[in-house]
Amino acid sequence: RKSRTILTVLGVLIGCCSIVIMVSIGIGMKESQEAMLAEMGDLTIITVTPQQGGKGKTKLDDSAVKTFGHIANVEAVTPKLSLENYTFKLYAGINNRYVCQWSTVVGLDTAEISKMGYKLITGDGIEKSGDVLVGEYLAYNFADSMRPEGANTVDRWGGEFDASDKQQNIPAPYFDAVKTPLTLEVQTDKGKFTVQLSPVGGTKEDYAKGNETSEGIIMSLQDMQNIIDRAQGGNKKALSYSTVLVKVNDISKVAEAENEIKALGYNTSSMESIRKPMEKEARQKQLMLGGLGAISLFVAALGITNTMIMSISERTKEIGIMKSLGCYVNDIRFMFLSEAGAIGLIGGIVGCVVSLVVSIIINLVSIGGPPTPAGFVLAIVGGEGVSRISVIPPWLMLFAIVFSIAIGLGSGYYPANKAVQISALEAIKSE
């Protein structure tokens, strides 16, 4: 019966769609949570600090940095030195016309900067001593000493804002910090000294990395060590770092690496302590949503069973003829199981296609605006700054099809066994 079979397939289709859409919404929630956490900080970076404010027996020195580098799944390690314990100024322009009273100056291992996620928006990386990277908005921290107080700075927030609170027409600073040599003046107990800096690139603002990406300066670790040595004068001390950044190659390995670092006697912090509870909550919601969808598919399974039982009752005489002609019992069972499995397969495939279309429509509505080719791509694969409500990975579609087939075979098993148990003589007599 074509109409009955189509309705049964439709039931499987609806059940398959329910599972795929429900689980995809759970996966979309997880993706949104991870995107939110990524804005707060790199999920694969562990910040290591010494215990007891650096006064304990376990020092955070070069030896510790090497040890961290040998931990399994650690991709990169860099100490982070800063001039936070010293008073300093920055100068730029002819005759040091422009003055910066406050900034953040840090030293990093230049070989690990890109691995740590620091992004350049202009220029190149650090190659030699004296090269530095400047924050995206460092130039706005400078005041013009030739102008009167109160009118000697450029307010970078002085532009206009659009409906989405995105700033437009940002006023230009007095100079381009990437193309202008800088002078660092450090104040010590024994006087002042200056260091010439050559900007070679500008970093994209990322407060998760630190204020140095916005209004600061990044230099090589060696250059920072030389500056600190000069600031200490003749009282050169063994260098102990206040912070070390450890980059893990996979988000799932962060907890393992963090526990190993803690076992060495150091304090650690990462986004793992926030991510784990959120991931657990998302997994629970996925199971709940998937369970609701599975109910629809199990209801469809009853429809398959009903269809196959009705089919057997209508084809009883046909079964008897096949048996009397010598057809094997297993062949009859296989025929009915194949029909049940085919219903599950067709319903699963069509259900996945319909689910994909529904998922795209949901994501297009959430993105907003008229549908465009670029919008369709974002709705399907996502992109930076886009949070999809529904995410259908390939494994979910494959699982849905296999599950639909399994439901079909399971539902058809009882009718198939009932068919092979019918006596050939009684079946032939059946009308």
Side-chain angles (χ1 to χ4, degrees), residues 149-214:
E149 189 74 25
N152 59 345
T153 58
V154 177
D155 181 11
R156 74 175 173 109
W157 304 107
E160 300 175 351
F161 292 84
D162 59 17
S164 60
D165 288 334
K166 186 175 182 181
Q167 189 175 7
Q168 305 290 329
N169 304 320
I170 301 176
Y174 291 129
F175 62 93
D176 187 344
V178 178
K179 299 179 180 179
T180 306
L182 303 174
T183 300
L184 172 66
E185 181 185 85
V186 181
Q187 176 73 50
T188 68
D189 296 337
K190 297 182 179 180
K192 303 177 182 178
F193 68 88
T194 59
V195 179
Q196 301 302 315
L197 306 177
S198 300
V200 294
T203 58
K204 180 177 178 58
E205 183 181 47
D206 184 356
Y207 280 114
K209 295 288 184 297
N211 190 65
E212 62 271 13
T213 60
S214 176

Side-chain angles (χ1 to χ4, degrees), residues 218-257:
I218 299 173
M219 63 177 61
S220 71
L221 190 63
Q222 186 59 53
D223 284 350
M224 177 59 73
Q225 289 175 338
N226 292 337
I227 292 173
I228 293 176
D229 288 343
R230 288 186 63 182
Q232 290 177 349
N235 300 322
K236 186 176 179 180
K237 302 177 182 178
L239 192 60
S240 181
Y241 306 116
S242 59
T243 304
V244 172
L245 304 179
V246 178
K247 172 83 171 180
V248 182
N249 57 18
D250 189 90
I251 190 173
S252 63
K253 305 296 183 182
V254 172
E256 182 181 335

Side-chain angles (χ1 to χ4, degrees), residues 26-201:
I27 297 174
M29 292 170 56
K30 181 181 178 182
E31 184 183 81
S32 299
Q33 288 175 349
E34 290 186 350
M36 180 185 68
L37 288 174
E39 293 179 357
M40 298 169 60
D42 194 326
L43 301 181
T44 59
I45 288 184
I46 303 170
T47 301
V48 185
T49 55
Q51 287 188 348
Q52 300 177 10
K55 298 178 181 179
K57 295 181 179 180
T58 307
K59 299 294 184 182
L60 198 57
D61 51 17
D62 290 328
S63 176
V65 172
K66 290 181 181 179
T67 302
F68 299 155
H70 291 112
I71 293 176
N73 303 306
V74 169
E75 182 179 4
V77 182
T78 177
K80 188 174 182 180
L81 280 176
S82 70
L83 285 178
E84 60 185 359
N85 295 327
Y86 300 93
T87 302
F88 62 88
K89 294 180 182 180
L90 290 169
Y91 296 95
I94 300 175
N95 297 323
N96 293 334
R97 175 175 177 173
Y98 304 106
V99 184
C100 173
Q101 300 282 354
W102 176 89
S103 183
T104 302
V105 180
V106 302
L108 299 173
D109 186 343
T110 56
E112 311 291 359
I113 287 179
S114 60
K115 294 180 181 179
M116 287 293 171
Y118 289 87
K119 298 179 180 179
L120 296 181
I121 55 176
T122 182
D124 301 315
I126 297 172
E127 296 181 355
K128 63 181 186 298
S129 178
D131 289 351
V132 296
L133 301 175
V134 297
E136 186 173 359
Y137 301 109
L138 173 67
Y140 292 94
N141 280 15
F142 283 82
D144 187 350
S145 59
M146 303 294 290
R147 295 173 182 263
E149 189 74 25
N152 59 345
T153 58
V154 177
D155 181 11
R156 74 175 173 109
W157 304 107
E160 300 175 351
F161 292 84
D162 59 17
S164 60
D165 288 334
K166 186 175 182 181
Q167 189 175 7
Q168 305 290 329
N169 304 320
I170 301 176
Y174 291 129
F175 62 93
D176 187 344
V178 178
K179 299 179 180 179
T180 306
L182 303 174
T183 300
L184 172 66
E185 181 185 85
V186 181
Q187 176 73 50
T188 68
D189 296 337
K190 297 182 179 180
K192 303 177 182 178
F193 68 88
T194 59
V195 179
Q196 301 302 315
L197 306 177
S198 300
V200 294

